[in-house]
């Protein structure tokens, strides 16, 4: 077994997106090689409705897949193909934008005004950039949750983990996306296929990710009491980018630790990026922008 070293610790940056939504961006718009096939991870966590209810009005996507995971509150969505729906706590939506789609996402807080969720962007390889758009809407009840003998809990959103397969299927990057909770003071080893790029995003509790040479610690808010007042300072959320190896080790702190563990097979293709449109060349980007302006962006088949 080879333990993955912690390659880098990244503190999310406060960012404003959509019509004024305040969020924390763990990574995005850069370092595509290190995170390949993933492009961006946003943590939209807030308990002040004024900071998120303006939402994400109509905007385009092409050439990527967006994965939205809601933990508190809800998100109503609609698109140019006539699809619409509502995600609530524990639900996941995996949208393959493919050749192009216009959509909107409007968050709403829970009874206490709290909103929390994540959006991850995954790249599409060149041969699938212009595939037909599609959705996979996954209710919380369809996501397998496993509890190990040491009380470690894992929700398997995508990929196979501990013998369970997540409900999201047919994704180009063949990713693994799991929500991991390790009990207080427990040490846990988790396997990751060696050929994949991998990262962990800690969003509750505290703990130490250990490698062969240097323990790396991260601290966030309480994982024990979900009703405790959260701290939204970026320093309290950390992304751990791992080097190569076939497993990671985490030692949970006094409050336990909860994190997203995400890995995927690198696509290793050029990335040409303009906001929510990601292609392989600048010429393809120019074509997409021309189509947006001329009204031919959406491909009806």
């Amino acid at each position: 077994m080879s333990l993955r070293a912690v390659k880098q610790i990244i503190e999310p940056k406060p960012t404003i997106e959509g019509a004024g939504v305040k969020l924390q961006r763990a990574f995005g718009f850069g370092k595509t090689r290190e995170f390949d096939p993933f492009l961006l991870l946003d943590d939209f966590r807030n308990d002040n409705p004024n900071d998120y209810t303006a939402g994400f009005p109509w905007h385009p996507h092409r050439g990527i897949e967006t994965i939205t995971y809601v933990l508190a509150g809800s998100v109503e969505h609609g698109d140019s193909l006539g699809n619409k729906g509502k995600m609530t706590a524990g639900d996941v939506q995996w949208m393959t934008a493919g050749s192009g789609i216009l959509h909107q996402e409007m968050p709403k807080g829970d009874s206490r005004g709290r909103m929390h969720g994540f959006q991850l962007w995954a790249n599409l390889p060149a041969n699938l950039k212009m595939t037909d758009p599609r959705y996979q809407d996954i209710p919380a009840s369809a996501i397998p949750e496993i509890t190990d003998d040491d009380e470690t809990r894992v929700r398997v959103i995508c990929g196979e983990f501990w013998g369970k397969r997540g409900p999201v299927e047919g994704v180009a990057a063949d990713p693994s996306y799991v929500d991991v909770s390790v009990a207080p003071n427990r040490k846990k080893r988790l396997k990751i296929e060696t050929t994949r790029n991998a990262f962990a995003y800690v969003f509750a509790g505290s703990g130490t990710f250990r490698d062969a040479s240097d323990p790396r610690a991260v601290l966030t808010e309480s994982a024990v009491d979900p009703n405790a007042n959260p701290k939204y300072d970026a320093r309290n959320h950390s992304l751990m980018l791992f080097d190569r190896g076939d497993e990671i080790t985490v030692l949970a702190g006094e409050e336990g630790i909860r994190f997203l563990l995400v890995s995927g097979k690198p696509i290793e293709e050029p990335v040409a990026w303009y906001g929510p449109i990601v292609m392989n060349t600048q010429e393809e980007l120019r074509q997409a922008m021309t189509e947006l302006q001329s009204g031919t962006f959406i491909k009806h088949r």
Side-chain angles (χ1 to χ4, degrees):
M1 294 291 179
S2 59
L3 201 59
R4 284 184 180 244
V6 176
K7 191 174 183 180
Q8 187 178 4
I9 299 175
I10 298 172
E11 302 300 332
K13 295 180 180 179
T15 304
I16 297 178
E17 283 289 1
V21 177
K22 293 182 179 179
L23 50 82
Q24 302 287 339
R25 176 154 294 157
F27 69 91
F29 299 95
K31 298 199 173 188
T32 53
R33 182 177 299 177
E34 293 179 316
F35 287 97
D36 187 10
F38 306 108
L39 298 162
L40 172 148
L41 176 65
D42 281 344
D43 179 347
F44 49 97
R45 175 181 355 195
N46 214 306
D47 58 1
N48 181 0
N50 292 331
D51 290 341
Y52 61 77
T53 49
F56 306 91
W58 293 99
H59 58 280
H61 281 296
R62 175 178 284 181
I64 63 172
E65 300 182 284
T66 67
I67 305 97
T68 306
Y69 180 27
V70 177
L71 293 182
S74 62
V75 178
E76 293 185 357
H77 64 89
D79 70 26
S80 53
L81 303 178
N83 299 304
K84 61 181 179 179
K86 182 178 181 179
M87 289 174 283
T88 57
D91 294 349
V92 171
Q93 182 192 83
W94 203 293
M95 183 189 77
T96 304
S99 62
I101 201 165
L102 299 174
H103 79 152
Q104 64 174 352
E105 299 154 302
M106 306 304 289
K108 184 178 180 181
D110 63 12
S111 60
R112 297 177 58 187
R114 298 175 304 177
M115 178 70 222
H116 188 195
F118 303 99
Q119 188 165 92
L120 176 69
W121 291 10
N123 202 5
L124 284 169
N127 65 333
L128 293 176
K129 288 285 189 190
M130 299 299 287
T131 193
D132 289 341
R134 69 169 183 146
Y135 284 94
Q136 295 181 71
D137 288 307
I138 312 296
S141 59
I143 298 174
E145 184 168 312
I146 314 158
T147 302
D148 206 3
D149 293 341
D150 63 0
E151 301 179 31
T152 299
R153 287 183 294 110
V154 174
R155 298 190 82 216
V156 186
I157 294 166
C158 186
E160 188 168 336
F161 201 85
W162 288 354
K164 295 285 187 180
R165 177 162 277 286
V168 178
E169 295 287 354
V171 180
D174 187 28
S176 173
Y177 187 144
V178 294
D179 177 351
V180 181
S181 299
V182 181
N185 303 311
R186 298 280 190 177
K187 184 177 181 181
K188 196 68 181 176
R189 288 177 175 262
L190 302 169
K191 293 184 182 298
I192 301 174
E193 188 179 320
T194 307
T195 58
R196 294 168 175 264
N197 285 335
F199 65 86
Y201 181 71
V202 179
F203 61 94
S206 64
T208 305
F209 287 84
R210 297 184 175 275
D211 58 41
S213 58
D214 183 18
R216 305 292 186 97
V218 292
L219 297 171
T220 62
E221 71 269 13
S222 172
V224 176
D225 179 8
N227 295 315
N229 290 327
K231 302 172 185 175
Y232 294 109
D233 189 284
R235 291 170 297 176
N236 291 319
H237 317 298
S238 296
L239 184 141
M240 321 295 286
L241 177 63
F242 297 109
D243 213 333
R244 295 298 186 187
D246 57 19
E247 66 177 10
I248 66 165
T249 297
V250 59
L251 176 63
E254 297 290 333
E255 301 173 331
I257 189 169
R258 187 175 180 187
F259 56 94
L260 305 179
L261 181 59
V262 181
S263 66
K265 296 178 179 177
I267 295 174
E268 297 180 337
E269 292 180 354
V271 174
W273 193 334
Y274 185 81
I277 298 173
V278 183
M279 304 301 289
N280 293 103
T281 68
Q282 291 298 319
E283 177 55 36
E284 290 169 338
L285 276 186
R286 284 191 289 270
Q287 179 181 342
M289 299 310 295
T290 298
E291 291 176 359
L292 265 176
Q293 293 166 2
S294 66
T296 59
F297 184 78
I298 303 301
K299 309 300 180 186
H300 298 283
R301 299 185 182 182

